[in-house]
Amino acid sequence: MIINNSLDEVKKREKALSIIKGIVEEDGRSSLFDLTGLSGGFIASPSEISLLETYVGPAIFEEELQEVGKGHMGGEKILPLNRTSSGILATILALVSKDSYVVHYLAKLPAHPSIPRSCSLVGANYFETDVFEEFSIPENTSLVIVTGSTMDHTVIDEDEFRKVIEMAHERNIPVMVDDASGARLRTVVFNQPKACDLGADIAITSTDKLMPGPRGGLMAGREDLIDEIKVKVNQFGLEAQPPLVLAMLNGIKNFDETNLVNSFSRKDELFELLSSKFTNFKTTPTGVMITPEGLADEINAEHDLSDNDLAFVLSFILLKEHGIITIPAVSMPGASATIRFDLSTNDAFNLNLNDLCKKIESSINKLQEVVINEDECREIVF
Ligand SMILES: *Cc1c(COP(=O)(O)O)cnc(C)c1O
């Protein structure tokens, strides 16, 4: 095993960032292809930047974000946060008491790790399932959670979404929706309503997923609950700072649905190309992916690496040899090790899909060569 714990994951992320820095310094930004689907854009004009003072910034940009944010998310009030994870933590700190139950329905396990971690922090009993028939709400439940679109972009069925909200509301239990990518994927590609319009009490999205914004969390929902959550957010320093609020605002204003719709059709072309060489690629709504288990199935050699290790090593080969950024190399601890090639963001627009397929093929061939040598694999990652 190469990656054994959260510290290893922090270390491999540091390594990935230093490789990225090297590529930018030596060959320029245009030699990098960020296919993560998380672009972390920062759109701002000089006159806006000059207003980014501690109190002036929020006075101007937070007020405008209320309107623009409600347009994007629905709900009665908007709360900008440092990350989606911060919003999840704050909601659980505010609404969940010790020993009560939190139940979570999602289309496909696993849940984002911030959800179980926050529940364990407050001493709540946490249950999650991706089998709708097995979802139930026990006595003493303080919060019901629904994930709109999972980390690997599996989107919830709209009828099941409605039923979970109905079950919770029959018992007067609030519903929080983790709509990190779902706020755009569900609505634009799958034509589902906004989470708040489906009755969610709280919904949170990530402003760098499938939109040209910075990494940050945008929460929307019932005003009374947002106010309660906002207290925790301010007490623990989880709020978005003025620069983030400005970039979120401009990210939402510049969100272009046609990019998502175009990637929805282009991904089939990439999938066809890859499927003539490999058997385990799958489509996502806006690209293709291969899970760690699928990758293990493609490798025919004796080795001692875990399935996740294989994904980490491949992600580093893609980065080092081809400048292709995928999530496993750069992710935070506990994130999914599935390798996704997302076609919805800027770097993908001008990419020739035949070339991309060749680069992916040669990277998997390289993995096949090095996998028998664990030390060499460790060197690639660290
Ligand atoms: C990305 C993601 C999050 C967390 O977003 P951060 O910005 O990393 O905090 C939470 N839930 C889901 C489903 C996600 O995809």
Coordinates of all heavy atoms in Angstrom, one line a residue, residues 83-85 112 147 149-151 178 180 206 209 215, ligand 1:
R83 N -16.2 26.7 2.3 CA -16.3 25.5 1.4 C -17.6 24.9 1.6 O -18.3 25.2 2.6 CB -15.2 24.4 1.8 CG -13.9 24.7 1.1 CD -12.8 23.7 1.6 NE -13.2 22.3 1.4 CZ -12.5 21.2 1.8 NH1 -11.3 21.5 2.5 NH2 -12.8 20.0 1.6
T84 N -18.0 24.0 0.8 CA -19.2 23.2 1.0 C -19.1 22.4 2.3 O -20.1 22.4 3.1 CB -19.5 22.2 -0.2 OG1 -19.7 23.0 -1.4 CG2 -20.6 21.3 0.1
S85 N -17.9 21.8 2.5 CA -17.7 21.1 3.8 C -18.0 22.0 5.0 O -18.5 21.5 6.0 CB -16.3 20.6 3.9 OG -16.0 19.7 2.8
H112 N -20.0 12.2 0.9 CA -18.8 13.1 1.1 C -18.4 12.9 2.5 O -19.2 13.0 3.5 CB -19.1 14.6 0.8 CG -17.9 15.4 0.8 ND1 -17.4 16.0 1.9 CD2 -17.0 15.6 -0.2 CE1 -16.3 16.6 1.6 NE2 -16.0 16.4 0.3
T147 N -28.2 13.8 -0.9 CA -27.1 14.2 -1.8 C -27.7 14.3 -3.2 O -28.3 13.3 -3.7 CB -25.9 13.3 -1.8 OG1 -25.2 13.5 -0.5 CG2 -24.9 13.6 -2.9
S149 N -26.2 15.0 -6.2 CA -25.3 14.4 -7.2 C -24.1 14.1 -6.4 O -23.5 14.9 -5.7 CB -25.0 15.4 -8.3 OG -23.9 15.1 -9.0
T150 N -23.6 12.8 -6.5 CA -22.5 12.3 -5.7 C -21.2 12.8 -6.2 O -21.1 13.5 -7.2 CB -22.4 10.8 -5.7 OG1 -22.1 10.4 -7.0 CG2 -23.8 10.2 -5.3
M151 N -20.1 12.5 -5.4 CA -18.8 13.0 -5.8 C -18.4 12.4 -7.2 O -17.7 13.1 -7.9 CB -17.7 12.4 -4.8 CG -17.8 13.1 -3.4 SD -16.5 12.7 -2.3 CE -17.0 11.0 -1.8
D178 N -27.0 18.2 0.1 CA -25.6 18.4 -0.4 C -25.7 18.4 -1.9 O -25.8 17.3 -2.6 CB -24.7 17.2 0.1 CG -23.3 17.3 -0.4 OD1 -23.0 18.2 -1.3 OD2 -22.5 16.5 -0.1
A180 N -23.5 19.8 -4.1 CA -22.2 20.4 -4.4 C -22.1 20.6 -6.0 O -21.8 21.7 -6.4 CB -21.1 19.5 -3.9
S206 N -21.2 23.8 -4.3 CA -19.8 24.2 -4.4 C -19.6 25.1 -5.6 O -19.9 24.7 -6.7 CB -18.9 23.0 -4.5 OG -17.6 23.3 -4.8
K209 N -17.6 23.8 -8.8 CA -18.0 22.6 -9.5 C -18.9 22.9 -10.7 O -20.0 23.4 -10.5 CB -18.6 21.6 -8.5 CG -17.6 21.1 -7.5 CD -18.1 19.9 -6.8 CE -16.9 19.4 -6.0 NZ -17.4 18.7 -4.8
R215 N -13.3 27.9 -5.3 CA -13.7 26.9 -4.3 C -14.4 27.6 -3.2 O -13.7 28.4 -2.5 CB -12.5 26.1 -3.9 CG -13.0 24.9 -3.0 CD -11.9 23.9 -2.9 NE -12.4 22.7 -2.4 CZ -11.7 21.6 -2.5 NH1 -10.5 21.6 -2.9 NH2 -12.2 20.4 -2.0
Ligands
LIG1 C1 -17.1 18.3 -3.6 C2 -18.2 17.8 -2.8 C3 -18.3 18.3 -1.4 C4 -17.3 19.2 -0.7 O1 -16.9 20.3 -1.4 P1 -15.6 21.1 -0.7 O2 -15.5 22.3 -1.5 O3 -14.5 20.2 -0.9 O4 -15.9 21.3 0.7 C5 -19.4 17.8 -0.7 N1 -20.3 16.9 -1.2 C6 -20.2 16.5 -2.5 C7 -21.2 15.5 -3.0 C8 -19.1 16.9 -3.3 O5 -19.0 16.5 -4.6

